[in-house]
Amino acid sequence: MRKYIPEIVWQILFKLGMFLRGINGFIYLAVGLMLFFVSVSELNHITLNVLSPLLTDITHRTKNIVGLYIFFHGVINIFLVAGLYKNKLWAYLISIGFISSLILMQLYNISFHYSNILLALIIFDCIFVFVTWHEYMYHKELRDFSENKECWVK
């Protein structure tokens, strides 16, 4: 696949995906915090007509559990993007595992409640996993090459 797509295209796709995942992480962080500090009635008022049908039966405990899930989802995304930005090989593999588990969860959810937005997220996540795998292999080969080069120099 590398032969057909120039490396600069892979780099741009990866950096764009990382940027979007970082923004996503900060949005999730903010929404998770909002769910902790806003009451259920205020939450229904804030969301107005967009999400109010989904929030009619939400309880304080449910709101806190969802808030905790969304908050930590954002924290993990930001942490992984920071690791990817620093080219840490562990961050590539953990990101692939984390996003793959999210894809499985999203596929389970879409099987019960179809949503074009969820489908778009699944497609974006699949592309990001593929591009992240490519970047992981690229940086691993660079690291292996530099280690072998050091062995020859010694």
Side-chain angles (χ1 to χ4, degrees):
M1 183 63 95
R2 285 188 229 183
K3 297 177 195 175
Y4 305 112
I5 300 174
E7 194 61 41
I8 190 72
V9 173
W10 287 107
Q11 296 287 321
I12 291 169
L13 286 173
F14 181 70
K15 291 193 187 306
L16 177 64
M18 230 176 24
F19 174 76
L20 293 173
R21 185 141 311 272
I23 295 294
N24 180 0
F26 281 109
I27 290 171
Y28 272 50
L29 197 68
V31 170
L33 287 173
M34 182 188 76
L35 287 173
F36 278 117
F37 296 112
V38 174
S39 71
V40 175
S41 60
E42 290 174 320
L43 189 61
N44 282 324
H45 180 69
I46 291 170
T47 58
L48 297 173
N49 296 329
V50 179
L51 294 177
S52 59
L54 300 174
L55 299 174
T56 53
D57 296 326
I58 195 168
T59 63
H60 181 70
R61 184 168 184 257
T62 305
K63 178 184 73 76
N64 287 339
I65 291 171
V66 170
L68 190 66
Y69 169 79
I70 291 173
F71 176 79
F72 280 111
H73 182 101
V75 168
I76 291 169
N77 266 334
I78 293 167
F79 174 72
L80 291 175
V81 166
L84 291 172
Y85 180 74
K86 295 177 181 179
N87 292 326
K88 302 291 184 184
L89 287 181
W90 59 263
Y92 291 94
L93 296 176
I94 292 174
S95 293
I96 290 168
F98 177 68
I99 297 167
S100 296
S101 66
L102 289 177
I103 290 170
L104 291 176
M105 230 171 57
Q106 292 166 345
L107 287 171
Y108 176 78
N109 286 335
I110 206 169
S111 69
F112 291 106
H113 307 287
Y114 179 79
S115 164
N116 287 331
I117 294 172
L118 190 55
L119 181 61
L121 287 173
I122 292 170
I123 292 169
F124 171 76
D125 285 345
C126 288
I127 292 170
F128 189 71
V129 165
F130 185 69
V131 172
T132 302
W133 177 255
H134 171 78
E135 282 296 303
Y136 169 73
M137 295 305 291
Y138 175 77
H139 286 286
K140 189 173 183 311
E141 286 175 11
L142 283 178
R143 185 168 288 170
D144 290 345
F145 178 75
S146 66
E147 288 174 0
N148 287 337
K149 186 178 175 183
E150 289 174 8
C151 289
W152 285 98
V153 172
K154 290 180 184 180

